[in-house]
Amino acid sequence: MAADEKPIESVWTRPRRQREQLSREQIVAEAVRLLDTEGLEALSMRRLGTRLGAGATSLYRHVANKDELIELVVDEVYGELTVPDPGDPANWRAAIGSCAYSVRAMVLRHPWVAAVLGQVGLAYLGPNVIRLSERMLAVVEGAGFAVEESDQAMSTVLAYVIGMATSEAAYLSMLARSGRTEQELMESLEPSAEEAMRDHPRVRESQSAMRGRDPEQLREANFDYGLQRMLDGLAVRLEHLATG
């Protein structure tokens, strides 16, 4: 690096401090708990230091700022994901589907993560993200995609999953703030919904078909429908590669 070249700021590009009384692992674990209980707006270095019984200065020995802390907590929750071993290449569809459901479940457990995925700097350098990427690429390559196309296929699936899960997480966060169950919310909105859809027969018919169904099961069915269509597309692409 040239003497006048500014280094890229990221927690993943700096050496870790060793033998500190407060560890990086403790800081990250407490930050995740804070985010899960109080949300992204409540996260600050001062607030986190108070919860840990330490001054903000102690935290700055491990992370330079809040942006670096966000990098760490995002990688931490990615560590919860599971990706099956590639195994039989013929089972690629089930393996990718299992990973997709794992990503969705993680986002719904930690709804704050949806708001920070676009601002986590060099997230791809995090150990958990790298591990996840390696295992997913092994599944996709085992299915029959070339190395250069495997990353594109994987990214396409993840874009769908994260997009759907983000919308779902936002809805569930709103629901939690309302203090109502999904069923209670649906029932309370029914008169207004019927009035709004009165002159729109297709929308009315569509909503009528879903009436009475369990909202949680309906959300999962909607997610699975889109996921299966994504996998259908990858299957068609694999057939083309095999015959072309």
Side-chain angles (χ1 to χ4, degrees):
M1 179 181 294
D4 59 348
E5 186 176 343
K6 185 178 179 181
I8 297 175
E9 294 183 0
S10 171
V11 72
W12 306 119
T13 62
R14 289 189 293 100
R16 291 187 59 167
R17 289 180 175 269
Q18 302 296 329
R19 291 197 280 274
E20 293 278 356
Q21 183 176 1
L22 187 64
S23 71
R24 178 189 283 184
E25 288 74 18
Q26 288 174 295
I27 294 170
V28 173
E30 190 59 39
V32 171
R33 283 190 285 268
L34 172 59
L35 286 162
D36 287 347
T37 56
E38 301 186 40
L40 188 62
E41 298 78 8
L43 181 66
S44 70
M45 302 294 274
R46 183 184 297 275
R47 181 72 177 278
L48 186 56
T50 299
R51 288 174 63 108
L52 288 164
T57 303
S58 298
L59 274 63
Y60 286 122
R61 294 194 182 101
H62 296 275
V63 288
N65 48 48
K66 184 176 174 181
D67 288 339
E68 289 195 357
L69 181 60
I70 293 295
E71 287 187 323
L72 287 167
V73 294
V74 167
D75 191 72
E76 180 73 9
V77 297
Y78 264 85
E80 300 173 6
L81 303 182
T82 57
V83 181
D85 290 325
D88 184 352
N91 295 330
W92 67 268
R93 185 169 181 139
I96 294 178
S98 175
C99 181
Y101 267 95
S102 184
V103 174
R104 173 180 179 260
M106 179 272 286
V107 175
L108 296 187
R109 280 194 302 273
H110 309 290
W112 51 268
V113 78
V116 299
L117 287 178
Q119 51 178 293
V120 288
L122 304 182
Y124 62 88
L125 296 181
N128 288 322
V129 172
I130 289 177
R131 176 190 61 83
L132 171 71
S133 298
E134 175 71 17
R135 292 178 66 88
M136 278 197 72
L137 285 170
V139 171
V140 178
E141 287 178 22
F145 285 101
V147 173
E148 60 270 18
E149 192 171 349
S150 293
D151 185 66
Q152 293 174 312
M154 179 184 74
S155 297
T156 299
V157 173
L158 285 177
Y160 166 75
V161 174
I162 291 173
M164 287 290 288
T166 296
S167 296
E168 199 173 353
Y171 163 70
L172 292 177
S173 295
M174 177 275 293
L175 192 66
R177 291 193 299 270
S178 75
R180 299 182 180 185
T181 66
E182 282 190 85
Q183 197 62 50
E184 289 170 343
L185 180 65
M186 296 296 182
E187 290 174 358
S188 68
L189 291 175
E190 197 166 300
S192 297
E194 287 183 353
E195 176 63 24
M197 294 182 292
R198 184 177 56 184
D199 298 326
H200 303 279
R202 292 181 180 82
V203 177
R204 188 173 64 248
E205 184 177 359
S206 174
Q207 293 301 306
S208 178
M210 293 185 286
R211 189 170 298 154
R213 295 180 60 182
D214 179 86
E216 184 175 356
Q217 291 180 0
L218 189 58
R219 284 190 284 109
E220 185 164 322
N222 288 338
F223 174 82
D224 191 65
Y225 177 86
L227 174 62
Q228 296 309 319
R229 301 298 73 78
M230 293 287 293
L231 298 178
D232 286 346
L234 292 183
V236 170
R237 176 61 178 161
L238 285 172
E239 289 177 9
H240 175 74
L241 292 173
T243 58

